[in-house]
Amino acid sequence: MKATDVLVQCLENEGVEYVFGIPGTEILDLVHSLSKSNIQFILVRHEQGAAFMADLYGRLSKKPGVCLATLGPGATNLLTGISSAQLDHSPVIALVGQVSSEKQHPESHQYLNLTEIYKPATKWSTQIKSAQMIPVTIRKAFRTAMMEKPGAVLLALPENLATEMIAGQPLALSQIPPSLPVQKAIQTAHSIIQDYMKPFILIGNGVIRENAMEELRIFIDALQSPVAHSFMAKGILPKNHPSNYFTFGFSENDKVLAGVAEADLLIVIGFDFVEQLPQKWNGGKNPVIHIDTLPAEINEYYPAEIELTGNIKQILHALNQLKMPPKSWVPQGNLKEKIKTSYQIRDHQGESNRLPLTTENILLMIEKLIPDQSIIISDVGAHKLSIARTYQPKQPDKLIISNGLASMGIALPGAIGAKLACPEDPVICITGDGGALMNFAEIETAKRLGVSFIMIVLNDSVLKLEEMKMEKMFESSEGVSFQNPDFIQLAEGYGIKSGRAHNLRQFEEHLREALLVQSQGEIMLIDVLLPSSP
């Protein structure tokens, strides 16, 4: 059997449904093999879009997303999206073509040492050196991508191996065995919690990856201490839960830190340092109970009293069996209300014709109107910080914020990956005008696939976050403004519905229409004309 046929059989064995990518000469055999399989090859318009689609698909489906590119520029175009998946701990497999083995020693057309280029951006980066090793390599790649903490894997396939005839077949799948700390460590952690009066719980995306939300809620309800979420963990606690102190991890105006500073113990659960290093939120060097899938990265700002390393769901279950002592303390100074006021978290949305058109009011309108199971995907920019502060998802894993690499351009292709992973859930991508045009061509991909979602473009003709930072640093800003095309005409050119909002009332009307349009299997773009910068 041809080597690429065996490779595709291995992908089918791993449960792969989609491969996102762009063909090239060196991978045409692989694309042809895919055409004969049960896997759908999705032609995209740029390899970066393919990687972002695989990232969001992997993150939401809980199995590796797969993207494909040819050698040279195809592979380097994947790199940003693969790096994003790696830092956000999303399982992704990147399959790339490579020149034949004999061409890798002299200088060759389009040849780059891709495995070395990808090493810093992946958990494992390798070239298949023997076609006979394809089944073993594919099994290891998928296992590596899924092992905690999940991440990206690169597999390069030299052109000369693709057509070899081999007798390989897929390896049997096996589950990654869960691990659990010894009971003595669990009991020690319980004793430490008993000894402190003011614990503060900080939760990260690892809780969602490990599906430990219910066990964590039981733990929180028993302990009754304040809780804050990282950007990517939002939605674990309901908005009005008495312990919910919302979000931490901001570079500036991080109101939650007043409560963290008042605490005498931090219980840090499933938090990824890539979201923010401890020196930013534990300046007082409070002692830490570390609960995560991997050992702690110890430093002076993360002094772990005890490490509970392993399956977070089982660790929390074991702690809950010991009956947590209630530590129901409240930070001073009416902190929760100060956070809600500063972050513009409100329980009721006012009349839309009386409120200004701001990102925060747009988010509150979205929160009010959309179904509970809706998936919101944030691009990167000033609006990402507003979303992290203001928007409160009603369920976990329904707000996707790129917070590791934090790459602009992820929202639109990410919406495609999200919709393929969760076809029954409404999907809304929110992007600034800077990020929108980076991968806007993927609207054609979405239209061709027949997926439906809502795209909200916050249009102010400026890179707002950079403008604000430059104004603060230099009292002026340069190199951050631009002119936009007419997004309504762009949408029409791609055959999708659109609407333009000059005020919050118009935005509400268009959002209601867009939710109906999406339920009918169509895409709608809302062009939101925010007030221009002075």
Side-chain angles (χ1 to χ4, degrees):
M1 186 179 295
K2 190 168 71 169
T4 54
D5 290 336
V6 174
L7 193 154
V8 169
Q9 283 189 356
C10 292
L11 296 181
E12 288 180 313
N13 184 57
E14 298 288 345
V16 174
E17 297 177 286
Y18 307 101
V19 172
F20 308 93
I22 296 180
T25 300
E26 289 72 20
I27 56 168
L28 292 181
D29 282 287
L30 180 52
V31 174
H32 181 251
S33 294
L34 284 169
S35 72
K36 300 182 291 182
S37 73
N38 295 320
I39 299 170
Q40 182 179 355
F41 174 67
I42 295 177
L43 173 65
V44 303
R45 305 310 300 266
H46 193 284
E47 290 91 351
Q48 185 181 108
F52 284 144
M53 291 175 204
D55 175 351
L56 269 290
Y57 176 86
R59 199 177 315 196
L60 291 170
S61 70
K62 310 306 179 188
K63 60 183 181 180
V66 182
C67 54
L68 179 150
T70 191
L71 79 176
T76 57
N77 282 346
L78 280 180
L79 187 57
T80 295
I82 294 302
S83 303
S84 181
Q86 173 69 6
L87 292 185
D88 280 346
H89 299 300
S90 179
V92 170
I93 307 291
L95 301 171
V96 298
Q98 185 56 286
V99 298
S100 298
S101 304
E102 71 274 8
K103 294 181 181 178
Q104 294 180 23
H105 301 288
E107 184 177 42
S108 298
H109 178 64
Q110 292 191 311
Y111 171 67
L112 294 169
N113 190 334
L114 296 173
T115 55
E116 289 298 317
I117 291 171
Y118 270 78
K119 273 184 180 178
T122 56
K123 292 181 73 176
W124 185 40
S125 176
T126 191
Q127 176 174 294
I128 299 172
K129 295 185 171 71
S130 165
Q132 295 288 348
M133 293 299 295
I134 285 174
V136 172
T137 307
I138 294 294
R139 182 80 276 267
K140 180 179 177 181
F142 276 77
R143 189 176 174 87
T144 300
M146 284 301 296
M147 288 173 64
E148 280 290 330
K149 296 181 178 184
V153 170
L154 174 91
L155 298 180
L157 178 66
E159 185 180 16
N160 60 302
L161 300 187
T163 57
E164 281 192 16
M165 303 303 291
I166 61 174
Q169 59 182 2
L171 299 185
L173 303 187
S174 59
Q175 296 295 320
I176 300 169
S179 60
L180 189 66
V182 297
Q183 187 62 27
K184 182 178 179 181
I186 299 286
Q187 292 170 341
T188 300
H190 183 262
S191 297
I192 290 172
I193 293 171
Q194 286 182 315
D195 291 342
Y196 286 89
M197 300 304 297
K198 293 183 176 182
F200 201 114
I201 302 169
L202 300 176
I203 54 180
N205 195 38
V207 173
I208 296 175
R209 290 196 303 267
E210 294 278 282
N211 192 30
M213 290 80 73
E214 182 59 32
E215 288 76 11
L216 177 58
R217 292 188 195 105
I218 294 170
F219 179 82
I220 290 168
D221 288 342
L223 199 61
Q224 301 175 20
S225 292
V227 179
H229 307 71
S230 75
F231 287 17
M232 295 198 290
K234 293 185 71 171
I236 290 177
L237 281 190
K239 179 178 180 178
N240 294 318
H241 192 285
S243 294
N244 191 354
Y245 280 71
F246 308 106
T247 317
F248 77 102
F250 303 97
S251 297
E252 298 178 354
N253 197 29
D254 200 337
K255 296 294 184 183
V256 179
L257 297 190
V260 174
E262 190 181 342
D264 56 10
L265 174 70
L266 301 183
I267 305 174
V268 184
I269 308 174
F271 180 73
D272 303 320
F273 278 16
V274 72
E275 292 210 62
Q276 195 178 68
L277 292 171
Q279 52 261 46
K280 294 289 188 178
W281 43 265
N282 193 20
K285 304 178 183 178
N286 280 324
V288 169
I289 292 180
H290 172 85
I291 302 176
D292 204 359
T293 53
L294 295 180
E297 295 183 38
I298 301 295
N299 61 47
E300 61 180 311
Y301 296 98
Y302 200 77
E305 292 265 308
I306 184 74
E307 298 181 52
L308 302 182
T309 303
N311 184 281
I312 296 173
K313 186 182 185 77
Q314 293 192 21
I315 291 171
L316 290 173
H317 176 73
L319 284 171
N320 291 335
Q321 296 297 107
L322 297 178
K323 307 297 182 184
M324 281 297 109
K327 301 284 183 176
S328 51
W329 69 282
V330 176
Q332 297 176 0
N334 203 15
L335 180 62
K336 178 177 279 195
E337 290 306 312
K338 288 181 178 178
I339 293 170
K340 292 175 73 172
T341 299
S342 177
Y343 294 2
Q344 300 188 45
I345 299 169
R346 298 194 290 271
D347 293 326
H348 301 287
Q349 174 74 357
E351 294 293 331
S352 58
N353 59 352
R354 296 181 182 177
L355 295 172
L357 185 66
T358 64
T359 301
E360 288 73 21
N361 284 333
I362 288 167
L363 294 170
L364 290 168
M365 186 63 70
I366 292 170
E367 188 180 324
K368 171 185 173 182
L369 294 181
I370 64 173
D372 289 1
Q373 74 274 21
S374 300
I375 299 170
I376 300 290
I377 302 169
S378 173
D379 214 297
V380 174
H383 63 280
K384 170 186 147 180
L385 299 180
S386 296
I387 291 170
R389 287 192 173 99
T390 303
Y391 180 74
Q392 302 301 313
K394 299 178 180 69
Q395 297 176 10
D397 218 16
K398 299 299 184 184
L399 174 62
I400 306 298
I401 297 178
S402 175
N403 206 32
L405 191 67
S407 175
M408 291 174 66
I410 190 173
L412 173 53
I416 297 172
K419 194 65 182 180
L420 292 172
C422 305
E424 302 303 317
D425 295 342
V427 172
I428 301 174
C429 69
I430 305 174
T431 178
D433 44 8
L437 291 178
M438 287 187 171
N439 285 303
F440 199 86
E442 302 302 348
I443 286 285
E444 188 279 326
T445 306
K447 184 73 175 175
R448 176 168 24 97
L449 288 172
V451 297
S452 61
F453 55 85
I454 300 168
M455 181 177 185
I456 298 171
V457 180
L458 304 175
N459 186 348
D460 56 8
S461 299
V462 68
L463 300 174
K464 191 65 178 178
L465 186 60
E466 285 66 33
E467 180 191 52
M468 292 189 298
K469 288 183 177 181
M470 291 187 79
E471 290 286 350
K472 182 177 180 180
M473 294 169 65
F474 311 117
E475 298 183 351
S476 64
S477 60
E478 303 293 337
V480 294
S481 60
F482 43 79
Q483 292 183 340
N484 282 320
D486 187 320
F487 282 102
I488 301 299
Q489 291 187 16
L490 268 179
E492 290 175 355
Y494 281 100
I496 65 171
K497 296 179 183 290
S498 62
R500 177 170 286 141
H502 296 84
N503 54 57
L504 193 62
R505 179 185 58 78
Q506 290 178 344
F507 175 77
E508 179 180 4
E509 292 173 354
H510 288 312
L511 181 58
R512 290 183 185 276
E513 178 189 3
L515 289 167
L516 177 61
V517 166
Q518 180 175 208
S519 70
Q520 296 169 343
E522 297 289 339
I523 302 167
M524 182 164 172
L525 180 148
I526 305 175
D527 180 21
V528 181
L529 294 178
L530 293 174
S532 299
S533 301

